[in-house]
């Protein structure tokens, strides 16, 4: 049995690996106030380049590390030059969304090249363990510790004594003033992305060797862990990121020691949420000071929404309503049912992200809550399916709002981090709370959709059911936006300080938005559960959260009709063009990138 | 377009600037002769700070030209403009708060690579600003406003500029430091550095300037030698928002 010392060593080693990711995130955040969601993808790329080097080219270990660092740095430079530099004068949310798109593209490219199956990545080191005190340590542990400490020292010397290092520090503190000293900010960005990517890539390699396994799911996990460590240490604070990483490693390791492996991530995200709520500027910030400038306002691309005449909307609704009566294939109906379900989720997200400006990256959690509630109500308590779905919507509204409410005072990118973490927490609770959710086995045999005792089994009836529910939700949301409530939402989005000065209670309005949005998403999840008849903790994942965000941006943030148009476009177009399933996520990533670059206000404009 | 006089080191010619729909500058023309101190006066929202940003390339005008030593600055980025020989003392000083005073001053020499000469210039700054000697390893953010202004000026001089542009160098300083700063600007100028400064405090600025311009809602309403302007009642009108024809 492992000793406490073993858990401590393990925690510190894993912490070292996180530190390599987190330091890069901190550097990038310091210089450009951007949370780089593509950092984990670079880590993934690093791991796979390492695999090619070790398994196919048989490079010796030092050469492997160099190859990975250089190749990853190149990827970082390309991301900076082509993905982010064109967005320099864009709205603040644009680079964040671009890094999400880039991470989708990179992950999918790796998956398409190497297949999603895990691969072994041998460490090339002798498999011996040395006894120290009550624990053991192996050569790979020492290597990881060595690489971590060496990188930290090199980085310290570089930032402290080199001219470029000074430029990086100066830019992080005052970008305009640095430019007035003659600092080329583009070069600084390049340097920072190159360094961050090299460290991230090497981190991926080391983790792959540590577990002797690499797979494409590593990417998101690495980004999440890096972000947790960075925020715990204080965003943009490089030494803080190292300490945050070690702390995270230890917390996870002790959590695993006490509760078991499946709790590892839960502890990481709980740590994040606690830090975000209690000390949003990190453990080492001197005070809970507010950010120097409002992070909302220019966050969303301002535009004049496209006016769609009422008759056109009526005609479109009519066409889609009578569509099942026309000779269309089952396949078309199936596709559109998916679009309507996604449309409900998009309605929810466009309200939360667009209208009130809280860009949620964990919206799939609301689907999951709705789905599980509705499934369990109908299975365990024999509640009629129609009522169970409404129950799912109410539960999503209540629980979702309760979970997010501690984060209401966060702004901008921090909201995105918090919602991402809450999304992960929900999924992990579902995985671990076996007595209620049946854990990893999932729930099967969920009764099919039914209404007033009649089972809806034909595609036509399911189509009508989901279409009507979506239209009703859309109409309600349209009414909401036209009322004074909608105006208050937008006021909070555009300037929360001014809104507060006019007596608006931010918490109350944010709650109302999440309650309404949570209900729509929960209903969507509930219907999905009865359609699929089987769900588990992975049915509603971060990929869907990002897909929903892409839909919402495609339609125009805050735009009700846009959300539905976006859903139909993103679900329908891949079908129309017969794009194979494995390329779809890649396409979504590319769509997101192109949108952010060329039409940040979406097809129909933001509202 | 009028041609700038041949002795002008810096010249803005018929500059029109917009923020979105709103026009900030209307046919703004200003010239800074070699070796002179030129002062741009004006109240709030007159477009003074935007003029600084235009010179430094932080904002691009929609029309007109900005030349330095005869060559246009318009296509250049801020770092490139700095390399041409313009240094800046930004509004509210904008020091790198978490870096030491020494690092801040040396950041001013970022565009230079002559290590020994930089070290000599650092010593020179310490004779010019003797108070900074004891503060070198302190965090810049921990200094008082007046001391920070000294650091900002030393930092600007470290690039060995031909011209320094200053945005309200006396703002927020105690009266003692105001006099000290004005004296230093004069000293710097006597060593051959041209100065373009933006000021709200007209009477102070006119004491050290050679020429001055008065900016009101984006238009130059008054200009001439500082001596002549000092007693001009229209200066007061411009500040109090009186009509241009007054």
């Amino acid at each position: 049995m492992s000793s406490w010392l073993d858990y401590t060593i393990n925690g510190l080693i894993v912490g070292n690996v996180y530190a390599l990711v987190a330091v890069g995130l901190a550097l990038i955040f310091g210089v450009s106030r951007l949370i780089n969601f593509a950092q984990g993808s670079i880590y993934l790329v690093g791991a796979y380049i390492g695999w090619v080097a070790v398994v196919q080219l048989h490079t010796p270990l030092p050469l492997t590390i160099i190859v990975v660092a250089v190749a990853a740095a190149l990827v970082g430079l390309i991301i900076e030059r082509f993905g982010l530099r064109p967005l320099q004068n864009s709205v603040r949310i644009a680079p964040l969304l671009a890094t999400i798109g880039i991470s989708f593209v990179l992950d999918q490219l790796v998956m398409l090249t190497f297949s999603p199956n895990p691969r072994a990545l041998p460490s090339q080191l002798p498999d011996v363990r040395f006894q120290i005190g009550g624990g053991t340590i192996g050569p790979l542990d020492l290597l990881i510790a060595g690489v971590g400490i060496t990188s930290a020292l090199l980085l310290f010397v570089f930032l402290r004594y080199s001219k470029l290092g000074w430029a990086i520090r100066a830019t992080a503190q005052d970008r305009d003033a640095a430019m007035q000293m003659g600092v080329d900010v583009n070069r600084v960005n390049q340097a920072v992305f190159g360094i961050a990517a090299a460290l991230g890539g090497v981190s991926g390699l080391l983790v792959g060797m540590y577990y002797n396994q690499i797979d494409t799911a590593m990417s998101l996990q690495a980004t999440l862990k890096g972000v947790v460590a960075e925020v715990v240490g204080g965003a943009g604070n490089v030494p803080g990121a190292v300490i945050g990483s070690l702390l995270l490693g230890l917390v996870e390791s002790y959590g695993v020691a006490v509760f078991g492996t499946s709790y590892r991530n839960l502890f990481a995200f709980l740590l994040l949420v606690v830090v975000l709520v209690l000390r949003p500027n990190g453990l080492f910030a001197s005070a809970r000071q507010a950010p120097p400038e409002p992070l909302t306002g220019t966050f969303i691309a301002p535009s004049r929404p496209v006016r769609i005449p009422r008759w056109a909307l009526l005609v479109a609704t009519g066409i889609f309503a009578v569509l099942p009566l026309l000779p269309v294939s089952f396949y078309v109906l199936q596709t559109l049912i998916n679009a309507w379900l996604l449309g409900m989720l998009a309605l929810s997200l466009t309200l939360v992200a667009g209208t009130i400006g809280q860009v949620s990256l964990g919206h799939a959690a609301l689907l999951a809550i709705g789905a599980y509630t509705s499934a369990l109500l109908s299975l365990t308590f024999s509640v009629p399916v129609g009522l169970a779905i409404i129950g799912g919507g109410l539960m999503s509204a209540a629980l979702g709002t309760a979970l997010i409410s501690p984060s209401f005072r966060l702004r901008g990118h921090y909201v995105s981090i918090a919602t991402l973490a809450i999304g992960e927490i929900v999924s992990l609770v579902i995985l671990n709370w076996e007595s209620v959710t049946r854990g990893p086995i999932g729930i099967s045999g969920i009764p099919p959709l039914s209404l007033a005792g009649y089972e809806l089994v034909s595609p036509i009836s399911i189509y009508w059911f989901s279409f009507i529910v979506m239209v009703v939700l859309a109409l309600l949301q349209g009414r909401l936006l036209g009322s004074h409530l909608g105006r208050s939402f937008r006021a909070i989005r555009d300037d929360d300080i001014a809104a507060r000065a006019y007596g608006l209670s931010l918490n109350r309005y944010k709650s109302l938005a999440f309650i309404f949005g949570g209900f729509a998403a929960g209903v969507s999840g509930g219907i999905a559960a009865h359609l699929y008849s089987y769900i588990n903790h992975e049915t509603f994942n971060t990929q869907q959260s990002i897909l929903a965000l892409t839909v919402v941006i495609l339609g125009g943030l805050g735009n009700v009709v846009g959300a539905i148009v976006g859903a139909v476009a993103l679900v329908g177009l891949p079908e129309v063009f017969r794009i194979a399933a494995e390329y779809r996520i890649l396409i979504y990533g590319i769509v997101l990138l192109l949108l952010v670059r060329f039409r940040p206000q979406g097809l129909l404009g933001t509202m | 377009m009028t041609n700038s006089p041949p002795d002008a080191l810096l010249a803005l010619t018929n500059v029109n600037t917009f923020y979105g729909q709103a026009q900030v500058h209307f046919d703004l023309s200003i010239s800074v002769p070699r070796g002179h101190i030129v002062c741009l006066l004006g109240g709030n929202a007159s477009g003074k700070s935007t003029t600084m940003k235009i010179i430094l390339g932080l904002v691009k005008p929609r029309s007109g030209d900005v030349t330095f030593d005869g060559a246009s600055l318009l296509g250049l980025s801020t770092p490139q403009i700095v390399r041409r020989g313009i240094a800046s003392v930004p509004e509210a000083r904008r020091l790198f708060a978490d870096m030491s005073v020494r690092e801040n001053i040396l950041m001013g020499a970022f565009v230079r690579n002559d290590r020994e000469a930089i070290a000599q210039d650092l010593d020179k700054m310490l004779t010019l600003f003797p108070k900074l000697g004891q503060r070198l390893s302190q965090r810049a953010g921990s200094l008082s406003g007046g001391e920070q202004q000294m650091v900002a000026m030393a930092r600007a001089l470290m690039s060995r500029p031909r011209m320094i542009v200053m945005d309200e160098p006396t703002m927020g300083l105690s009266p003692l430091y105001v006099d000290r700063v004005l004296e230093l600007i004069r000293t710097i100028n006597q060593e051959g550095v041209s100065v373009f400064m933006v000021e709200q405090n007209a009477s102070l600025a006119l004491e050290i300037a050679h020429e001055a311009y008065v900016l009101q809602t984006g238009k130059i309403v008054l200009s001439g030698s500082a001596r002549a302007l000092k007693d001009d009642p229209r200066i007061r009108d411009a500040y109090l928002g009186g009509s241009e024809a007054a």
Side-chain angles (χ1 to χ4, degrees):
Chain A
M1 191 58 223
S2 296
S3 70
W4 279 100
L5 189 59
D6 268 332
Y7 282 112
T8 308
I9 292 170
N10 174 269
L12 291 175
I13 298 302
V14 173
N16 252 298
V17 168
Y18 293 159
L20 289 173
V21 177
V23 161
L25 286 169
L27 278 175
I28 291 173
F29 188 89
V31 166
S32 44
R33 298 287 175 272
L34 164 71
I35 291 163
N36 177 21
F37 278 96
Q39 186 74 357
S41 304
I42 294 169
Y43 165 101
L44 180 71
V45 169
Y48 275 87
I49 292 171
W51 180 84
V52 171
V54 170
V55 175
Q56 304 205 313
L57 306 176
H58 307 288
T59 52
L61 184 62
L63 184 61
T64 310
I65 294 179
I66 293 171
V67 166
V68 167
V70 170
L74 276 177
V75 176
L77 291 180
I78 292 170
I79 291 177
E80 191 278 330
R81 179 65 191 83
F82 299 102
L84 297 173
R85 199 180 298 177
L87 301 175
Q88 245 164 22
N89 299 318
S90 196
V91 286
R92 203 181 276 106
I93 195 181
L96 174 89
L97 296 174
T99 61
I100 293 175
I102 290 166
S103 93
F104 263 51
V105 171
L106 279 179
D107 290 359
Q108 290 304 310
L109 287 178
V110 170
M111 193 182 280
L112 291 171
T113 318
F114 294 96
S115 94
N117 300 326
R119 282 160 197 260
L121 180 56
S123 75
Q124 303 172 292
L125 286 170
D127 191 19
V128 290
R129 304 212 49 99
F130 312 110
Q131 196 75 30
I132 45 158
T136 62
I137 194 162
L140 187 57
D141 297 326
L142 295 173
L143 173 73
I144 291 175
V147 170
I149 293 166
T150 312
S151 319
L153 282 178
L154 285 177
L155 193 62
F156 176 81
V157 170
F158 168 72
L159 290 176
R160 200 78 206 210
Y161 299 105
S162 78
K163 205 165 172 176
L164 191 53
W166 281 37
I168 291 173
R169 284 161 62 211
T171 308
Q173 287 172 44
D174 192 329
R175 200 184 180 86
D176 277 3
M179 282 165 73
Q180 291 174 35
M181 299 301 118
V183 173
D184 182 345
V185 179
N186 284 333
R187 267 199 67 208
V188 166
N189 275 338
Q190 244 172 16
V192 159
F193 267 88
I195 295 168
L199 293 176
V202 171
S203 177
L205 171 73
L206 294 174
V207 171
M209 290 180 167
Y210 193 65
Y211 295 111
N212 191 19
Q213 182 185 319
I214 55 174
D215 63 59
T216 44
M218 291 165 68
S219 164
L220 180 67
Q221 286 306 319
T223 302
L224 293 173
K225 294 301 171 59
V227 168
V228 174
E230 196 223 343
V231 172
V232 168
N237 181 343
V238 174
V242 174
I243 298 172
S245 302
L246 296 176
L247 190 65
L248 174 63
L250 286 175
V251 165
E252 281 187 11
S253 190
Y254 293 144
V256 168
V258 178
F259 296 98
T261 320
S262 59
Y263 282 86
R264 172 181 286 274
N265 294 339
L266 195 55
F267 277 95
F269 297 121
L270 287 177
L271 179 66
L272 173 68
V273 172
V274 168
V275 169
L276 275 180
V277 169
L278 297 181
R279 295 196 78 89
N281 295 308
L283 290 181
F284 309 108
S286 46
R288 295 213 259 167
Q289 76 257 40
E293 50 180 330
L295 281 172
T296 46
T298 52
F299 207 63
I300 280 162
S303 77
R304 205 163 294 171
V306 176
R307 279 238 160 269
I308 303 172
R310 188 172 291 248
W311 62 262
L313 284 178
L314 283 172
V315 168
T317 313
I319 290 174
F320 278 113
V322 300
L323 194 72
L325 303 176
L326 306 173
V328 292
S329 69
F330 168 74
Y331 174 72
V332 169
L333 290 186
Q334 193 63 48
T335 304
L336 282 171
I337 291 169
N338 287 336
W340 305 146
L341 289 179
L342 183 59
M344 291 176 218
L345 181 65
L347 282 173
S348 162
L349 187 56
T350 210
L351 177 71
V352 167
T355 309
I356 201 163
Q358 312 291 303
V359 178
S360 159
L361 296 181
H363 234 59
L366 297 171
L367 288 180
I369 295 172
Y372 268 86
T373 308
S374 186
L376 291 171
L377 280 177
S378 57
L379 262 181
T380 318
F381 301 100
S382 310
V383 174
V385 170
L387 283 179
I389 290 173
I390 292 175
L394 292 175
M395 182 60 100
S396 261
L399 197 55
T401 311
L403 285 173
I404 189 70
S405 60
S407 317
F408 276 162
R409 58 198 197 80
L410 302 176
R411 295 161 159 187
H413 291 187
Y414 287 92
V415 176
S416 304
I417 296 176
T419 48
L420 189 61
I422 291 168
E424 292 294 312
I425 289 173
V426 167
S427 153
L428 289 164
V429 167
I430 290 174
L431 177 65
N432 285 301
W433 196 10
E434 291 190 21
S435 59
V436 173
T437 63
R438 303 182 195 176
I441 304 160
I443 301 179
S444 51
I446 303 169
L449 283 176
S450 66
L451 204 58
Y454 292 97
E455 284 201 354
L456 308 178
V457 279
S458 72
I460 295 185
S461 57
I462 297 171
Y463 176 96
W464 270 327
F465 179 76
S466 49
F467 182 66
I468 289 169
V469 171
M470 183 196 69
V471 169
V472 169
L473 286 171
L475 287 174
L476 282 176
Q477 192 159 326
R479 281 301 291 267
L480 184 78
L481 296 186
S483 71
H484 89 280
L485 205 56
R487 265 195 308 281
S488 305
F489 285 168
R490 285 188 290 268
I492 288 169
R493 171 190 72 191
D494 290 339
D495 192 334
D496 60 352
I497 292 175
R500 208 155 38 177
Y502 276 93
L504 295 186
S505 155
L506 300 193
N507 288 356
R508 184 181 314 155
Y509 286 99
K510 286 181 183 174
S511 299
L512 282 172
F514 273 95
I515 287 170
F516 192 90
F519 182 77
V523 165
S524 171
I527 297 176
H530 297 282
L531 265 182
Y532 303 160
S533 86
Y534 170 78
I535 53 173
N536 67 15
H537 68 286
E538 283 173 334
T539 310
F540 309 100
N541 56 20
T542 306
Q543 229 166 51
Q544 285 195 42
S545 298
I546 306 296
L547 174 60
L549 192 61
T550 310
V551 164
V552 164
I553 293 165
L554 178 64
L557 277 162
N559 195 317
V560 171
V561 179
I564 295 165
V565 171
V568 172
L570 270 202
V571 174
L573 290 184
E575 302 290 348
V576 172
F577 293 110
R578 311 255 161 188
I579 295 168
E582 59 260 41
Y583 289 99
R584 277 187 197 168
I585 309 282
L586 182 64
I587 304 277
Y588 296 148
I590 293 171
V591 167
L592 184 58
L593 277 177
L594 292 176
L595 271 175
V596 168
R597 173 82 177 82
F598 296 106
R599 203 170 161 82
Q601 73 274 37
L603 293 177
L604 300 186
T606 53
M607 284 177 85
Chain B
M1 290 244 277
T2 54
N3 279 326
S4 49
D7 65 329
L9 180 60
L10 177 86
L12 279 74
T13 318
N14 297 326
V15 167
N16 287 289
T17 316
F18 290 78
Y19 286 135
Q21 298 282 317
Q23 187 161 4
V24 182
H25 289 146
F26 299 84
D27 283 326
L28 187 70
S29 293
I30 290 173
S31 99
V32 181
R34 244 173 258 278
H36 278 207
I37 300 177
V38 173
C39 188
L40 181 64
L41 303 168
N44 287 326
S46 57
K48 296 188 312 277
S49 292
T50 304
T51 313
M52 291 276 296
K53 289 182 180 158
I54 293 275
I55 296 170
L56 289 167
L58 293 165
V59 171
K60 298 289 174 196
R62 191 171 290 181
S63 66
D65 200 6
V66 182
T67 59
F68 185 68
D69 209 7
S72 176
L73 297 180
L74 282 191
L76 302 184
S77 67
T78 304
Q80 287 169 325
I81 290 171
V82 172
R83 280 170 201 274
R84 292 273 168 105
I86 299 181
S88 136
V89 178
E91 189 180 0
R93 296 161 303 260
R94 305 284 289 265
L95 297 187
F96 304 112
D98 287 332
M99 293 170 87
S100 70
V101 169
R102 179 199 298 274
E103 287 174 327
N104 265 278
I105 297 176
L106 289 175
M107 267 311 288
F110 188 79
V111 293
R112 296 168 56 186
N113 287 311
D114 44 344
R115 277 170 173 258
E116 283 109 64
I118 290 175
Q120 282 169 16
D121 281 2
L122 180 61
D123 289 340
K124 212 174 125 194
M125 289 310 135
L126 296 183
T127 39
L128 198 57
F129 307 94
K131 270 202 149 175
L132 299 182
Q134 324 141 29
R135 302 258 188 249
L136 278 180
S137 50
Q138 219 168 306
R139 257 185 86 242
S142 69
L143 301 189
S144 76
E147 290 169 329
Q148 289 195 15
Q149 188 65 45
M150 302 292 152
V151 177
M153 288 169 74
R155 185 175 70 172
L157 284 170
M158 284 300 286
S159 65
R160 290 199 177 166
R162 286 190 281 169
M163 188 173 110
I164 296 190
V165 294
M166 302 189 185
D167 199 345
E168 310 217 13
T170 65
M171 189 176 67
L173 298 187
S174 67
L176 204 71
Y177 266 114
V178 169
D179 290 344
R180 179 94 188 90
V181 164
L182 292 178
E183 209 183 295
L184 279 166
I185 294 175
R186 201 181 266 153
T187 314
I188 291 165
N189 176 247
Q190 277 157 5
E191 292 189 6
V193 182
S194 309
V195 175
F196 176 74
M197 57 191 273
V198 155
E199 258 300 344
Q200 290 222 31
N201 193 332
S203 56
L204 282 178
L206 289 174
E207 266 173 39
I208 59 161
H210 297 100
E211 288 91 30
Y213 292 81
V214 177
L215 192 62
Q216 194 180 35
T217 54
K219 296 180 188 109
I220 298 289
V221 292
L222 210 55
S223 64
S225 80
R227 199 168 312 158
L229 286 177
K230 218 181 320 192
D231 307 315
D232 196 319
R234 288 178 297 175
I235 288 261
R236 267 187 47 210
D237 290 340
Y239 270 83
L240 298 174
S243 71
E244 291 163 42

